[in-house]
Amino acid sequence: MGCFDDGSFNVELENGVSSISCEEEEGNNRAVIEDAVKVLLEGLKEDINREGIRKTPFRVAKALREGTRGYRQKVKDIVQGALFPEAGLDDRIGHAGGAGGLVIVRDLDLYSYCESCLLPFQVKCHVGYVPAGQRVLGLSKLSRVSDVFAKRLQEPQRLADEVCSALHQGIKPAGVAIVLQCTHIPFPDTEPVFLDANHQSWFKILVSSGTGVFENKNADEWADFLSLIKFRGVDVENVHTRESSDPCWCPSQSSLSTKVSSKIGPVNHRMITAVASIIKSLGEDPLRDELVGTPSRFVRWLMNFQTSNFDRKLNGFHCGGIDSLNTNGDVNLNDKKLHSEMNLPFWSQCEHHLLPFHGVVHIGYLISGGFNPIGKSLLQKIVHFYGFKLQVQERLTRQIAETISPLLGGDVIVVVEASHTCMISRGIEKFGSSTATIAVLGRFATDLATRASFLQSIPSPTSSERQ
C-alpha cells in the first residue's frame, strides 16, 4: 500500500475513512517484524531477555526494512531531473563523450535478499545503454536504479529484467543491457558439507537482460558490451539468457537441502507463520507462488543454529599422533614447540541480526617435548561446536581458546577471520572485506616474539575464502 504525495494513505473502515501516516505504517510494520523475531528466537530456545539477544528483534526489523527499501522507492523519482541534453546523432553513429555511443557502468556492488530462502546474495552488476534523443543519464543514477530493485526479495533473472525495463522506460534510449554476477551462500547439511574443509558449495550464476537494440543477442551492441566487461573477470561465454536461466538457482531447493530437513526434524509452524508475517510486512505477498515455500526454507536454515548437535567428547580425551596434524613446520621455542592448525572452516549465525557469518579459524599452541599435538578432527569439532549457535565473533574466538587451553597446558592463540552478511546487507562493509579477532592465553599473552611467529605463519586467503 503506497503513500500519496501528502505522506498519507486512506484505509477504509466500517464507519468511514481514516487517514494514517506513512510513519505510522512504518512503525506498525516494524512492530510486526519484532514480534515475529521473538517467536523465532523462542523457537530456537533462546532467552529473549538475554543481553545480546534482547535488542535483536529491533535490530532485525530495522535491517530488514532497510534491506528491502526498494518496495518503497520509485524509479521516476530518481531519473527525473537527472536526464541531460547532449549533442549526438540519433542514428547511433557514436561520438566521443557518450551521446550516440555505448555507455557502461561496471562492477556495481549490490546485494539482495533471495526470495526462496530470505538469505542475502551478492550481486556484481554491469549496466549499459545506448543514448537516443540526445538524452544521457547521470551515471550515479544507473547504480541507484539498480539498487531499487536489488533492495527487494529477488531472484537473479527477474532482477536483471526489472532493472533493464525500468531504465528503458526512464531514459527512453536505443537500448539497455544488464549482466549480473550473483553469488549465493551454501544451504547444506551441517555434517557432510559444513564440516568438509575442502568443500566449496557457493552457488553462482551469470544472467543478462536486454531491451531495444540489445534484444538481439547477436547484435553488434552486445558484442561491444560483453567485450568491455570480459576483462573485468566476467565469463561471457556462460551468461544465461532469459530462456536458459535455472529458475531454482537457490541452493535451499536443491536435493541436498531436502535431505537436511529430515535431519533437523519437524519445522515449528509458529515459526513459519512468523516468517510469513515478516514477508508481508516488507511489502510482499507471502502467497505469491515463488514465496509460498520461503518461510519453511528460512526456518530450516535457522534451525541449524538451535543447539549444537556436535559432541565435544572432551572427557577421556587422548591426543592423536603427530601424523594426524599438518604442523606446517615446528618452531623450537626454548623447551616448547609451536604447533599450528590453519584454515579450519566454520559457519555461524549473528545473534544481533539473525544473518550468517562464516570464515576460517587459525589455532596455535605450545607443548613440551614428549607430548603429541591435538588431533585436527577434535579441533574442528570444537570450532563447530561453538559455531553452530547464535554467536558473535568475539565470543566465538574466546570460547575456542578457553576450551583448548586446559587440554594443552594453557599456551594457546586463536585467530578467527570472517565475513559477515549482516554488515554487507546493511551497507556497512564492502564485498571481499573481512573481520579478524584474536584470543591469546598463557605465553602468547606475554611473549611478543612467539605471538608474532604464529601470526606471520597465517596463510593469505584464497579467492574462495574471500567469498
Side-chain angles (χ1 to χ4, degrees):
M1 186 174 294
C3 294
F4 294 127
D5 291 340
D6 62 357
S8 66
F9 61 87
N10 291 328
V11 179
E12 294 286 344
L13 301 177
E14 291 183 358
N15 57 353
V17 177
S18 175
S19 180
I20 302 177
S21 68
C22 281
E23 290 78 9
E24 186 173 348
E25 180 198 21
E26 177 70 15
N28 291 338
N29 286 328
R30 285 197 179 187
V32 170
I33 296 175
E34 289 184 35
D35 289 341
V37 172
K38 291 177 182 178
V39 172
L40 296 179
L41 292 172
E42 290 170 348
L44 294 174
K45 296 180 171 52
E46 281 284 353
D47 178 6
I48 61 175
N49 294 314
R50 172 170 72 82
E51 187 64 34
I53 291 288
R54 186 164 44 87
K55 293 184 178 180
T56 292
F58 170 79
R59 287 188 289 254
V60 171
K62 182 179 179 181
L64 281 174
R65 292 291 290 177
E66 171 65 19
T68 57
R69 65 178 183 270
Y71 288 115
R72 303 178 295 281
Q73 294 177 317
K74 297 179 181 179
V75 171
K76 69 176 183 179
D77 294 337
I78 297 173
V79 174
Q80 284 180 349
L83 289 170
F84 304 99
E86 182 68 26
L89 300 178
D90 289 336
D91 61 5
R92 293 183 284 106
I93 299 175
H95 277 188
L102 180 61
V103 179
I104 302 178
V105 175
R106 300 170 295 199
D107 297 327
L108 297 174
D109 282 328
L110 309 173
Y111 87 92
S112 189
Y113 280 99
C114 174
E115 67 179 10
S116 292
C117 64
L118 290 188
L119 296 179
F121 66 92
Q122 299 177 10
V123 181
K124 183 78 73 174
C125 175
H126 311 278
V127 54
Y129 73 101
V130 176
Q134 300 187 0
R135 289 182 302 272
V136 295
L137 181 69
L139 296 179
S140 66
K141 303 305 184 290
L142 294 174
S143 175
R144 291 187 60 192
V145 170
S146 301
D147 193 57
V148 166
F149 294 98
K151 294 296 189 292
R152 302 180 183 184
L153 304 188
Q154 282 288 7
E155 64 89 19
Q157 188 60 62
R158 189 174 71 248
L159 174 57
D161 290 343
E162 289 181 344
V163 173
C164 199
S165 176
L167 286 173
H168 193 88
Q169 294 177 27
I171 307 173
K172 295 180 173 54
V176 176
I178 302 287
V179 169
L180 303 180
Q181 299 169 272
C182 302
T183 304
H184 198 302
I185 68 173
F187 198 99
D189 186 349
T190 53
E191 291 188 28
V193 176
F194 276 137
L195 296 182
D196 184 354
N198 297 317
H199 187 95
Q200 297 296 333
S201 57
W202 292 89
F203 279 63
K204 298 183 179 182
I205 192 172
L206 274 167
V207 298
S208 65
S209 187
T211 62
V213 296
F214 292 100
E215 290 183 10
N216 180 2
K217 290 295 180 179
N218 297 317
D220 292 341
E221 288 81 3
W222 260 118
D224 293 341
F225 184 93
L226 294 176
S227 294
L228 288 170
I229 66 173
K230 184 176 181 179
F231 66 88
R232 311 292 286 192
V234 180
D235 185 3
V236 297
E237 301 299 324
N238 290 321
V239 175
H240 287 231
T241 64
R242 185 181 292 103
E243 294 75 21
S244 65
S245 180
D246 181 2
C248 299
W249 88 293
C250 176
S252 70
Q253 300 190 51
S254 69
S255 58
L256 175 58
S257 178
T258 303
K259 296 178 183 178
V260 178
S261 58
S262 61
K263 290 191 176 185
I264 293 177
V267 177
N268 185 317
H269 289 287
R270 287 189 68 238
M271 296 174 73
I272 293 177
T273 300
V275 177
S277 70
I278 290 176
I279 292 174
K280 185 175 182 179
S281 295
L282 295 178
E284 266 288 3
D285 178 8
L287 298 180
R288 178 160 66 85
D289 289 345
E290 295 83 356
L291 295 173
V292 169
T294 299
S296 62
R297 285 188 286 267
F298 179 71
V299 171
R300 270 174 28 216
W301 163 270
L302 205 57
M303 291 302 288
N304 281 309
F305 304 91
Q306 176 184 10
T307 55
S308 176
N309 293 322
F310 301 101
D311 182 4
R312 281 182 290 177
K313 298 180 180 177
L314 298 181
N315 292 329
F317 163 72
H318 296 286
C319 290
I322 192 155
D323 291 338
S324 67
L325 178 69
N326 175 15
T327 62
N328 297 318
D330 294 339
V331 180
N332 287 313
L333 295 166
N334 299 327
D335 59 334
K336 290 188 175 184
K337 288 185 177 182
L338 170 62
H339 294 273
S340 60
E341 188 60 55
M342 304 294 186
N343 291 325
L344 296 171
F346 80 93
W347 282 82
S348 194
Q349 191 84 348
C350 171
E351 70 177 32
H352 293 162
H353 298 95
L354 295 189
L355 288 171
F357 67 98
H358 63 94
V360 291
V361 178
H362 313 294
I363 298 173
Y365 54 94
L366 301 174
I367 55 175
S368 301
F371 290 89
N372 289 326
I374 190 171
K376 177 179 179 179
S377 61
L378 179 59
L379 290 176
Q380 186 71 81
K381 281 184 177 293
I382 293 172
V383 167
H384 284 297
F385 178 83
Y386 290 112
F388 276 100
K389 53 188 67 179
L390 299 189
Q391 270 287 16
V392 294
Q393 184 175 335
E394 296 86 347
R395 185 193 308 138
L396 171 67
T397 309
R398 174 180 54 81
Q399 288 174 333
I400 294 171
E402 290 178 346
T403 299
I404 297 172
S405 177
L407 301 176
L408 296 166
D411 298 322
V412 171
I413 182 171
V414 174
V415 174
V416 176
E417 297 182 288
S419 296
H420 291 253
T421 57
C422 61
M423 293 181 70
I424 294 172
S425 64
R426 293 161 58 221
I428 299 172
E429 179 180 47
K430 289 186 177 181
F431 296 115
S433 59
S434 64
T435 302
T437 49
I438 182 172
V440 291
L441 295 173
R443 181 168 170 176
F444 286 102
T446 57
D447 189 333
L448 296 181
T450 302
R451 188 158 76 231
S453 177
F454 172 78
L455 294 175
Q456 292 169 6
S457 69
I458 295 177
S460 300
T462 64
S463 58
S464 60
E465 289 166 348
R466 293 191 189 101
Q467 291 293 345

